[in-house]
Amino acid sequence: MKFLKLRSLVLVAVLLIGLGGCKKEDVGPNSKIVGTWKITSAVYKDSSGPLEFWALYNAVYACTKDITMSFTEDGKYSVSEPTGCVDEDGVSLFLFTKTGTFTLTDDISLDIIENDATPYKGKVVFADGKFTWTYDEVFQGEATSLTVTFTKVK
């Protein structure tokens, strides 16, 4: 009988130590966005209606399909473009500068700050391996919005 009690006590102790030793993985404030993403849609909307211009970019410049944007836990982003993926004037076809910083707040607000300190403050929604970022602006007296959908690559 003593042996059974001792065995049960040892088993409980092992389980408690085992469970106590399992440390929950640290999750940083940027964990939802950390990784590499591709734009799968970019819609510009003004009073004339919506324009899905990323699909147009992809049709004219096939290389835009291979552009990625990576976000790191320390609040930095970087863009990777295929060599020569530029327009007729030699300008990058991506929406943002190649490097910058970002601030993700409560998984509802994503501010992208380009390396020249230009800020773009937008709303963000995460769902199913994607996130949608919407930037609203009044441009020349007209309300406009840019909604970009990113799909996680890795």
Side-chain angles (χ1 to χ4, degrees), residues 30-85:
N30 297 323
S31 63
K32 278 195 174 178
I33 200 168
V34 169
T36 302
W37 304 79
K38 278 187 177 185
I39 292 179
T40 51
S41 172
V43 178
Y44 178 79
K45 185 177 180 184
D46 62 12
S47 61
S48 62
L51 171 65
E52 202 333 344
F53 72 89
W54 198 250
L56 295 173
Y57 266 29
N58 287 185
V60 176
Y61 304 100
C63 64
T64 57
K65 294 175 187 172
D66 296 322
I67 297 173
T68 60
M69 188 170 189
S70 297
F71 297 88
T72 59
E73 184 61 48
D74 63 353
K76 295 178 183 171
Y77 79 81
S78 61
V79 174
S80 176
E81 297 176 287
T83 303
C85 193

